[in-house]
Amino acid sequence: MFDVQEELKKLPNCPGVYIMHDEWDHIIYVGKAINLHNRVRSYFRPNIGRGPQIDKMVSLISRFEYIVTDSELEALVLENNLIKEHRPKYNTMLKDDKTYPYIKVTVSEEFPRVLFSRQMKKDRSRYFGPYTSAGAVKDTIELINKLYQLRTCNRNLPKDCGNDRACLNYHIKQCLAPCQGLVSKEDYQRQVKKALDFLNGSYQDTLKELERQMQQASENLEFEDAIRYRDLYNSVKQVALKQKMEGSDGEDKDIIALAADEQDAVVQVFFVRGGKLIGREHFYMTHVSGIPKQQILLDFVKQFYAGTPFIPRELILQENIEDMEVIEQWLTRRKGGRVYLKVPRIGSKEKLVELAAKNAMLVLSQDKERIRREEGRTIGAVKEIAKLLELSELNRMEAFDISNISGFANVGSMVVYEKGKPKKSDYRKFKIKSVSGPDDYACMKEVLTRRFLHGMEERKELMEKEIEDEFGSFTKFPDLLLMDGGKGQVNIALQVLDELKLSIPVCGMVKDDNHNTRGLYYNNEEILIGRNSEAFKLITRIQDEAHRFAIEYHRSLRSKSQVSSVLDGIPGVGPSRRKALMRRFKSIEEVKSADVETLAGLDEIPESVAQGIYDFFHGAKEPAAERVEIEDRV
């Protein structure tokens, strides 16, 4: 039995982290202290204005534990790690984990590339960002590659130089083709240097050069090239206009301010890179009732900068926060260079903080209802489903569907929803191996067996390697299986789970005679759901998504099969040449449209065979044309 008063007497007078547990041994709060003895004891004294939320938390404490550290800085790092791992109910939390895009230039390569990246790694590449818009990053990369004709392929150069033909980008003047040795390393590096200058905000030289090339092309009556240079010139001007808000110091800094009411808080961050405001983002904080603004701001700084790979030189804050010196030390250590926390009172920085605070208040007032509606569509709908099925926990749902045409090309789909939102990175498709003919039950049994056997094998490998984290979509098992159908499909799923000794709830998504979602089949009975409820709408979205994913995969296989079957009738086209044609051309129509030169451009196709393929589709071979038409209809 844990005696709180006795354990309080044993607390040491040193820095560390304390962890509060409830009667079910759940971690409900994690905190750090310069002096564990004083800080932890303060929770158990008579109410001294801590606020209703802390009082509620204290009433739930069944026991506590603590970890002693050598310094307050070590305690800060440990506190962050434990909060991120356990996400305690009473800690003020960042609502969403967001990753921001970067532009990555692989300067360590002999022929560097400009790439999109979600992570900033220590790989000797140069990174620019973070940016708040993935679309803007992709547009910028596309523009840079057009401007400076840098390669986009992943070939190992110069090792793979000359191993293959130049790609389409070379022919449309968007690559200098270093893979063919058509540009020297020195000339290519000069183009990379221009790209780096561009990313650093130096646009004038590029604009002057494009204007010169446009004029020269126009004088030489090369109007297509002139138009291309004009479009590039306008694109660069657009990028330059977006960077009008500049600072004179050219430093990287984040401007941070918040707005809060009784229940919610929004933190607004302006990202300033190289003296230019490149974007802004807002963050919702939860569990803020009765928490002072300084504490919310402190919790945001600790949680956000523990996860982001880029830390600017300055954090410009709305208010002073506790432990500013310790936070500076921690961020300096994470960055590998000096980091400053500042609270401006006058001047341009103070005006930026004020602007950030106004934006935070605007988001808080205008977006509150929209955010609640979105939560209703996702998390709220999941809670409704959990309540209907009497499930204590529901986060991850997996839905399965089978697609075929009269038993031809049987395929299965697996779609995944977490917290009511699709997690497309975990989607999987299955080509049925053991079933021929229209037998949906047998197909479903194969799909589910393969899915869970694969997951069990991956889990076993991770355990043998003593890796605790679960990687990949198969190692994560669902809290609920959703089958596209009623009793029959549910029973198949239960049979598979029983054979594999797995315990996972299974639910059927039942449709009416018009093929519209009607309700759920669970525990041998049908549960009707209100058609206007968010739960019903979410189930419908999941069912439609599983069906769409299966249909798309089936269509792609059917298309490849049609191409293959037609090519089988062409003299001189065997398996290897057929595969080469299928890799290059995605449909029969593309093969038909190709001329002899294009066909002969494939390494596997000699000119005589290319002529034979062309004649097959364009010669006096009416039966073959008829066959193609039939195949396309199938």
Side-chain angles (χ1 to χ4, degrees):
M1 185 69 180
F2 189 88
D3 188 327
V4 171
Q5 294 304 320
E6 283 299 316
E7 295 300 323
L8 287 174
K9 296 174 183 177
K10 301 175 186 177
L11 286 165
N13 290 290
C14 57
V17 171
Y18 53 94
I19 305 163
M20 305 299 196
H21 296 256
D22 64 13
E23 60 180 313
W24 295 282
D25 213 32
H26 297 146
I27 295 176
I28 59 173
Y29 190 78
V30 174
K32 72 162 183 64
I34 301 174
N35 187 309
L36 284 168
H37 183 272
N38 295 339
R39 175 59 69 87
V40 178
R41 288 174 66 88
S42 69
Y43 286 98
F44 299 94
R45 292 176 187 151
N47 195 328
I48 51 173
R50 292 182 299 242
Q53 181 158 305
I54 298 298
D55 289 339
K56 175 67 174 175
M57 183 269 290
V58 172
S59 72
L60 297 174
I61 296 173
S62 177
R63 72 179 183 91
F64 62 81
E65 58 180 314
Y66 53 88
I67 302 170
V68 172
T69 60
D70 287 333
S71 67
E72 190 182 358
L73 179 58
E74 287 182 8
L76 173 68
V77 174
L78 179 58
E79 178 199 30
N80 268 331
N81 292 339
L82 291 173
I83 290 174
K84 188 174 181 180
E85 175 69 23
H86 299 290
R87 303 191 69 83
K89 181 178 180 180
Y90 286 94
N91 280 94
T92 304
M93 298 293 295
L94 259 175
K95 197 165 188 178
D96 295 308
D97 294 327
K98 302 183 181 183
T99 57
Y100 292 95
Y102 293 81
I103 294 177
K104 171 181 177 180
V105 185
T106 59
V107 292
S108 60
E109 296 179 339
E110 290 196 39
F111 294 94
R113 296 166 292 159
V114 180
L115 305 173
F116 179 97
S117 177
R118 284 281 182 186
Q119 295 179 318
M120 191 167 72
K121 302 177 181 178
K122 293 182 179 179
D123 56 3
R124 295 188 297 163
S125 296
R126 282 196 62 181
Y127 289 84
F128 296 85
Y131 301 94
T132 57
S133 169
V137 170
K138 290 173 183 176
D139 290 344
T140 302
I141 292 173
E142 183 180 356
L143 174 60
I144 286 170
N145 287 327
K146 284 181 180 178
L147 282 170
Y148 307 112
Q149 301 179 57
L150 304 181
R151 71 186 183 103
T152 59
C153 64
N154 57 3
R155 296 175 184 173
N156 184 3
L157 301 182
K159 181 181 176 182
D160 293 341
C161 189
N163 286 357
D164 207 344
R165 296 179 304 145
C167 66
L168 179 64
N169 283 347
Y170 167 70
H171 296 289
I172 61 174
K173 298 183 180 180
Q174 288 188 18
C175 180
L176 296 170
C179 62
Q180 303 299 307
L182 299 180
V183 60
S184 68
K185 180 181 174 182
E186 291 74 20
D187 288 342
Y188 189 90
Q189 289 286 355
R190 273 192 282 273
Q191 293 297 95
V192 174
K193 172 67 167 56
K194 292 178 183 178
L196 292 171
D197 289 342
F198 182 90
L199 288 168
N200 279 317
S202 178
Y203 307 117
Q204 291 307 314
D205 290 344
T206 298
L207 287 169
K208 288 178 183 177
E209 178 63 17
L210 286 172
E211 189 173 17
R212 185 191 66 76
Q213 290 175 325
M214 180 173 62
Q215 293 291 345
Q216 184 176 334
S218 180
E219 290 170 4
N220 295 338
L221 305 182
E222 296 169 346
F223 298 117
E224 287 187 6
D225 285 343
I227 291 172
R228 183 165 64 87
Y229 291 130
R230 181 201 64 191
D231 292 343
L232 288 172
Y233 180 88
N234 290 334
S235 296
V236 174
K237 282 194 74 175
Q238 283 296 110
V239 172
L241 283 172
K242 290 178 183 177
Q243 299 290 359
K244 284 183 70 177
M245 192 168 183
E246 298 188 9
S248 58
D249 56 6
E251 291 284 359
D252 295 337
K253 59 176 72 75
D254 287 353
I255 315 295
I256 306 169
L258 70 85
D261 59 19
E262 296 79 12
Q263 295 179 326
D264 298 293
V266 171
V267 177
Q268 182 84 206
V269 183
F270 287 170
F271 299 107
V272 179
R273 301 293 178 262
K276 303 176 179 65
L277 180 66
I278 65 164
R280 63 173 187 173
E281 190 58 85
H282 61 266
F283 302 85
Y284 284 85
M285 304 292 288
T286 60
H287 311 146
V288 300
S289 177
I291 306 296
K293 278 189 175 182
Q294 294 92 334
Q295 183 63 43
I296 299 171
L297 205 59
L298 171 64
D299 290 335
F300 171 80
V301 169
K302 291 192 294 186
Q303 292 176 47
F304 180 71
Y305 292 100
T308 183
F310 180 83
I311 298 172
R313 182 177 173 81
E314 290 183 0
L315 301 188
I316 309 300
L317 304 178
Q318 183 182 21
E319 299 186 32
N320 284 307
I321 59 176
E322 186 182 352
D323 304 327
M324 284 186 71
E325 290 186 9
V326 177
I327 299 291
E328 279 189 348
Q329 292 175 35
W330 169 58
L331 292 175
T332 296
R333 194 166 78 175
R334 285 208 69 230
K335 179 180 175 65
R338 191 75 172 90
V339 177
Y340 299 90
L341 271 63
K342 298 180 180 179
V343 181
R345 299 302 178 196
I346 57 172
S348 60
K349 290 180 181 178
E350 191 273 335
K351 292 187 182 303
L352 276 174
V353 170
E354 185 180 333
L355 184 61
K358 286 181 179 178
N359 277 271
M361 180 57 73
L362 195 65
V363 171
L364 187 65
S365 58
Q366 292 184 349
D367 284 5
K368 205 167 184 178
E369 189 57 38
R370 180 184 62 80
I371 292 297
R372 284 178 178 166
R373 284 199 305 270
E374 177 63 24
E375 283 191 351
R377 292 181 69 250
T378 54
I379 298 172
V382 172
K383 288 179 179 177
E384 284 183 36
I385 296 170
K387 187 176 180 180
L388 279 168
L389 305 179
E390 297 181 353
L391 299 176
S392 59
E393 183 179 354
L394 182 57
N395 175 31
R396 181 183 174 96
M397 295 182 284
E398 293 181 4
F400 293 82
D401 191 16
I402 301 296
S403 180
N404 61 58
I405 296 180
S406 300
F408 171 75
N410 289 312
V411 299
S413 69
M414 164 183 148
V415 300
V416 179
Y417 276 65
E418 288 189 355
K419 296 181 180 178
K421 297 180 181 179
K423 189 177 183 183
K424 296 195 174 183
S425 61
D426 281 8
Y427 283 18
R428 292 296 180 267
K429 48 196 176 186
F430 302 83
K431 189 175 182 180
I432 306 300
K433 300 175 181 178
S434 64
V435 182
S436 58
D439 189 342
D440 284 2
Y441 289 166
C443 292
M444 186 60 76
K445 183 174 182 180
E446 180 188 322
V447 168
L448 292 173
T449 302
R450 285 167 56 188
R451 182 262 178 271
F452 286 109
L453 277 177
H454 193 153
M456 292 165 72
E457 289 168 3
E458 284 188 358
R459 284 184 167 197
K460 184 179 178 182
E461 289 176 10
L462 292 173
M463 289 176 65
E464 289 174 352
K465 295 176 183 177
E466 297 183 350
I467 299 175
E468 295 181 2
D469 294 332
E470 294 183 356
F471 299 101
S473 64
F474 282 135
T475 51
K476 298 177 183 176
F477 284 3
D479 302 311
L480 178 66
L481 270 183
L482 292 168
M483 313 305 297
D484 186 48
K487 183 177 181 180
Q489 294 284 20
V490 169
N491 287 339
I492 288 294
L494 291 171
Q495 180 186 336
V496 171
L497 294 172
D498 186 57
E499 290 173 358
L500 298 176
K501 295 181 173 56
L502 294 173
S503 178
I504 299 172
V506 182
C507 200
M509 299 180 287
V510 184
K511 292 188 176 182
D512 59 23
D513 295 336
N514 296 320
H515 215 63
N516 295 319
T517 305
R518 184 176 69 200
L520 296 175
Y521 182 81
Y522 183 64
N523 285 346
N524 294 317
E525 61 180 68
E526 187 172 321
I527 302 172
L528 295 178
I529 311 174
R531 297 186 66 85
N532 294 322
S533 70
E534 294 297 344
F536 181 88
K537 294 172 185 175
L538 177 58
I539 291 293
T540 302
R541 289 198 298 273
I542 293 173
Q543 192 168 31
D544 291 343
E545 180 70 351
H547 189 60
R548 177 200 66 78
F549 194 53
I551 287 290
E552 284 188 359
Y553 182 41
H554 183 266
R555 188 178 292 127
S556 70
L557 289 181
R558 196 169 71 237
S559 175
K560 290 178 181 177
S561 177
Q562 290 168 2
V563 175
S564 176
S565 62
V566 174
L567 297 178
D568 283 341
I570 303 177
V573 177
S576 63
R577 288 172 181 168
R578 185 179 69 234
K579 287 179 182 177
L581 288 165
M582 289 172 67
R583 279 196 302 269
R584 174 63 177 82
F585 305 102
K586 303 303 181 187
S587 68
I588 286 295
E589 289 304 318
E590 286 191 28
V591 180
K592 280 185 187 179
S593 303
D595 56 25
V596 175
E597 184 181 358
T598 302
L599 293 166
L602 276 67
D603 292 340
E604 298 86 346
I605 309 294
E607 190 170 346
S608 59
V609 175
Q611 186 65 53
I613 296 170
Y614 184 85
D615 291 342
F616 181 84
F617 289 112
H618 299 86
K621 293 182 180 279
E622 290 302 318
E626 182 182 348
R627 180 183 176 189
V628 172
E629 208 172 288
I630 292 170
E631 292 285 351
D632 280 344
R633 285 204 301 273
V634 171

